[in-house]
Amino acid sequence: MRNKGKTNGNIINSMEKVDVTFKLLSDKRQIDELNKGIYLLMDKLGSEDINVLFDQYPRLIQKYSIKEMFSGNVEIPNIDPHSLKIAGILTCLQFLVSSFTDFIDEFGNILPLKETENSNSYQAESYIINSIPLDDYLKELFLSILSVIGEEYYQKFLEKIGNPDFTIDDILKLEKDKELQEHIDLMMWFSLIRVFLEAIYFYFNIENHNPKIN
């Protein structure tokens, strides 16, 4: 990540990479790790408001749209818009992580999008994806993490990793670095979540399922 949340380029740029990502992350242990990271971030943020809104969000969706709540343009009595935004992206992330396996077959291969369009998971994930732009999603997640780890830690992390668009492989090289141990798990989680979100957004773009004819 560079410049507080702006990516230099997408890691996922083909259906082949989506297929590989879904296969790697569809293992139950990997799904558990992705979900644990959500609670790890919430714990480190230390916001009671976010924790409460995280639990309340499914009910709030019944009254307000995700797009409205993410934009901060909706006024809900006694609710901080920023806390609502963070609780929202984490709640939606939990759903995306928990249901993306509905889009792969028993062998871990991605299903054609048309075969999933009538499923409940498709409708729900499509609603989330159409409500929150990918770049905004990644930016808000990154800024939340930055608020936890601090600028000084992040700069040291970048200096040692030598890659502003770091991957999980880059981070694994720093796994035993004593200076970075405090937040290394959170950084590893973010690198996986970034790839996951890029993959799920790429998959849900119908144009990416149509072969390009030169």
Side-chain angles (χ1 to χ4, degrees), residues 30-106:
Q30 287 288 356
I31 292 174
D32 287 345
E33 287 301 314
L34 292 178
N35 277 316
K36 283 179 185 176
I38 294 172
Y39 290 97
L40 173 64
L41 177 55
M42 288 174 60
D43 183 58
K44 292 201 172 190
L45 285 169
S47 168
E48 184 62 29
D49 285 347
I50 291 175
N51 293 344
V52 170
L53 288 168
F54 182 81
D55 292 331
Q56 293 179 346
Y57 205 80
R59 292 195 296 275
L60 290 170
I61 291 175
Q62 305 301 315
K63 188 173 182 180
Y64 307 96
S65 73
I66 291 176
K67 185 178 289 187
E68 281 181 315
M69 291 189 284
F70 181 79
S71 70
N73 293 329
V74 60
E75 292 187 11
I76 305 176
N78 304 316
I79 289 181
D80 172 60
H82 179 70
S83 296
L84 179 63
K85 177 185 286 190
I86 302 307
I89 63 174
L90 294 178
T91 304
C92 291
L93 184 58
Q94 186 180 55
F95 180 82
L96 293 173
V97 167
S98 300
S99 60
F100 85 95
T101 53
D102 291 345
F103 308 111
I104 58 178
D105 63 21
E106 59 185 308

Side-chain angles (χ1 to χ4, degrees), residues 146 149-160 180:
L146 188 63
I149 66 176
E151 291 274 4
E152 185 177 351
Y153 177 95
Y154 182 59
Q155 290 306 318
K156 287 180 182 177
F157 177 85
L158 282 185
E159 288 170 10
K160 293 194 176 186
L180 298 177

Side-chain angles (χ1 to χ4, degrees), residues 14-27:
S14 69
M15 289 306 297
E16 289 75 16
K17 289 185 177 180
V18 172
D19 194 45
V20 170
T21 300
F22 279 14
K23 282 179 179 175
L24 289 174
L25 297 181
S26 61
D27 179 84

Side-chain angles (χ1 to χ4, degrees), residues 42-210:
M42 288 174 60
D43 183 58
K44 292 201 172 190
L45 285 169
S47 168
E48 184 62 29
D49 285 347
I50 291 175
N51 293 344
V52 170
L53 288 168
F54 182 81
D55 292 331
Q56 293 179 346
Y57 205 80
R59 292 195 296 275
L60 290 170
I61 291 175
Q62 305 301 315
K63 188 173 182 180
Y64 307 96
S65 73
I66 291 176
K67 185 178 289 187
E68 281 181 315
M69 291 189 284
F70 181 79
S71 70
N73 293 329
V74 60
E75 292 187 11
I76 305 176
N78 304 316
I79 289 181
D80 172 60
H82 179 70
S83 296
L84 179 63
K85 177 185 286 190
I86 302 307
I89 63 174
L90 294 178
T91 304
C92 291
L93 184 58
Q94 186 180 55
F95 180 82
L96 293 173
V97 167
S98 300
S99 60
F100 85 95
T101 53
D102 291 345
F103 308 111
I104 58 178
D105 63 21
E106 59 185 308
F107 304 107
N109 300 310
I110 53 175
L111 294 167
L113 195 62
K114 288 184 178 180
E115 291 185 17
T116 69
E117 287 178 338
N118 294 322
S119 69
N120 290 333
S121 293
Y122 173 88
Q123 299 298 329
E125 294 221 5
S126 181
Y127 173 52
I128 292 171
I129 287 167
N130 289 325
S131 298
I132 308 175
L134 175 60
D135 286 347
D136 292 344
Y137 212 136
L138 292 172
K139 178 182 177 182
E140 291 301 329
L141 277 175
F142 176 73
L143 290 177
S144 295
I145 290 171
L146 188 63
S147 73
V148 169
I149 66 176
E151 291 274 4
E152 185 177 351
Y153 177 95
Y154 182 59
Q155 290 306 318
K156 287 180 182 177
F157 177 85
L158 282 185
E159 288 170 10
K160 293 194 176 186
I161 211 161
N163 179 10
D165 288 311
F166 51 86
T167 66
I168 189 65
D169 289 332
D170 294 322
I171 297 175
L172 285 172
K173 297 173 185 176
L174 303 177
E175 200 170 12
K176 295 182 180 179
D177 189 303
K178 293 182 180 179
E179 194 174 19
L180 298 177
Q181 278 304 297
E182 184 180 4
H183 301 300
I184 200 70
D185 287 349
L186 198 56
M187 300 304 288
M188 290 178 69
W189 174 78
F190 178 72
S191 70
L192 287 175
I193 282 296
R194 176 190 172 185
V195 173
F196 167 74
L197 283 172
E198 284 192 18
I200 199 75
Y201 272 72
F202 195 94
Y203 175 78
F204 268 80
N205 185 340
I206 188 64
E207 293 182 2
N208 295 328
H209 291 260
N210 298 325

